[in-house]
Amino acid sequence: MVASRDYIENVLATFQRAVEVNRQTPGRQGSTVTLDSQLADEVMLTGDIHGHRRNFNVIRRIAALADHPRRHLVLQEICHGGPTYTAGGGCMSHTMLEDVASLVVQHPGRVHFILGNHELAELSDYPIQKNRQLLNLQFRLGLRHMYGPSNEDVRQAYLGFLWSCPLAVRLSQGLFVSHSLPEKSDSREFDPSVLLRELQPADCSEEADVFRMLWGRDYRRENAAAFVERVGAKLLVTGHEPCTTEGFIVPNDRQIILDCCGGKAAYVILPVGQALGQAEIIDRIQML
């Protein structure tokens, strides 16, 4: 059954408001949000979710943002994955993207949805295939199933929201949170100034630094060390890599990877402004 016109108008209004909130987020410069002790007491960091409804609901419950007014929440990689519609098989992860926009509106300046490669793919129609299915197409089929002839209006509202989302969250104690990191940062130049401006269409091209940062899977210690130095940080927390055994992995002494899209899902709540070493952060990691 196609959504009612009132429902659709509410979705469009929510995304429009979420864009405004993103743009006005305290501590934001360009595509980076910096959190210090004036803005927050603590922050909950999560990994890729990919439409996993149970994990997303648990994250919301643990974050309990209404009960913790100085807690922030960092989310990433919502699009593509999870359940599908019975009729037509379209991906239902779009409904979770709507929930994220609602959270952004409900808790202005405290919910930070950092872009992942799958969201970048939606912005640029960059094809992603998994299990012989084109995920972009499945996502659009889900929109068509839910919104019928209004599906393109809703999709444009989604895209406007994604363009407004940050690429990274920086904690004042030297922790940098992004979806991933570029490959070969130790031998190929990366321009950190892309983090200090708004996202642009050119950033979606395969040779662009933003594309490289969201798609890279080079977890060598030398690469992570070079990247955190380029962005002026000490440690890196990312997603992007499946962590099916423990919900997180530690590929090197500068990086921690969190994953929230499977049965083993990890998160961490960190104090803002308090310097913590990698081992101390690992000790704070919990399972959903």
Side-chain angles (χ1 to χ4, degrees):
M1 180 177 177
V2 175
S4 69
R5 190 63 215 174
D6 285 346
Y7 184 90
I8 293 171
E9 291 294 341
N10 182 64
V11 168
L12 296 176
T14 297
F15 275 103
Q16 182 177 0
R17 177 58 183 149
V19 170
E20 296 170 357
V21 171
N22 274 345
R23 300 292 189 198
Q24 298 167 8
T25 295
R28 179 162 178 170
Q29 181 180 6
S31 294
T32 303
V33 176
T34 298
L35 299 181
D36 58 24
S37 57
Q38 291 187 337
L39 293 175
D41 288 340
E42 55 187 5
V43 58
M44 180 177 177
L45 306 180
T46 65
D48 298 11
I49 299 176
H50 283 305
H52 198 299
R53 174 55 66 178
R54 179 263 178 191
N55 287 355
F56 180 71
N57 290 342
V58 174
I59 287 169
R60 288 192 292 187
R61 188 184 75 233
I62 293 172
L65 294 177
D67 299 327
H68 299 276
R70 285 182 56 82
R71 176 180 291 170
H72 288 232
L73 172 63
V74 177
L75 299 166
Q76 61 180 303
E77 200 99 283
I78 291 294
C79 296
H80 305 157
T84 59
Y85 289 102
T86 303
C91 176
M92 296 179 68
S93 65
H94 72 89
T95 63
M96 195 173 295
L97 188 62
E98 295 169 17
D99 290 343
V100 170
S102 294
L103 276 179
V104 168
V105 172
Q106 291 166 17
H107 306 284
R110 297 171 54 214
V111 177
H112 314 287
F113 179 47
I114 59 174
L115 287 183
N117 58 303
H118 283 253
E119 284 76 34
L120 196 72
E122 284 298 320
L123 286 173
S124 60
D125 288 329
Y126 187 87
I128 301 182
Q129 185 173 331
K130 186 175 182 180
N131 298 329
R132 297 185 178 182
Q133 290 190 328
L134 192 62
L135 300 186
N136 317 65
L137 177 60
Q138 294 301 310
F139 192 78
R140 293 197 187 189
L141 286 175
L143 285 176
R144 185 176 300 175
H145 178 93
M146 182 72 173
Y147 295 110
S150 297
N151 75 90
E152 187 57 26
D153 291 339
V154 175
R155 179 173 175 270
Q156 289 304 315
Y158 285 13
L159 297 183
F161 172 65
L162 294 180
W163 281 116
S164 75
C165 290
L167 293 170
V169 172
R170 184 190 301 273
L171 274 64
S172 58
Q173 59 261 46
L175 188 65
F176 190 84
V177 185
S178 58
H179 182 61
S180 192
L181 74 167
E183 296 184 356
K184 300 180 180 178
S185 295
D186 52 336
S187 61
R188 182 177 174 184
E189 188 64 31
F190 173 82
D191 181 6
S193 69
V194 300
L195 300 167
L196 301 178
R197 60 164 174 76
E198 299 297 333
L199 194 66
Q200 302 172 359
D203 293 323
C204 298
S205 67
E206 292 189 26
E207 294 302 312
D209 282 336
V210 169
F211 184 99
R212 293 175 54 224
M213 188 178 81
L214 299 190
W215 279 91
R217 294 187 187 274
D218 183 351
Y219 306 131
R220 292 176 298 116
R221 192 264 178 195
E222 296 81 5
N223 187 52
F227 180 67
V228 294
E229 182 178 357
R230 294 266 173 83
V231 298
K234 297 177 181 177
L235 289 172
L236 178 67
V237 175
T238 65
H240 193 45
E241 186 70 18
C243 309
T244 55
T245 303
E246 298 292 339
F248 75 98
I249 56 176
V250 184
N252 57 71
D253 64 0
R254 298 295 187 93
Q255 182 181 11
I256 299 168
I257 300 176
L258 301 176
D259 187 17
C260 292
C261 66
K264 295 287 187 177
Y267 72 94
V268 63
I269 297 178
L270 299 176
V272 173
Q274 178 182 339
L276 296 173
Q278 186 186 51
E280 294 173 299
I281 296 174
I282 293 169
D283 285 343
R284 293 171 180 260
I285 293 177
Q286 302 289 324
M287 297 296 113
L288 293 178

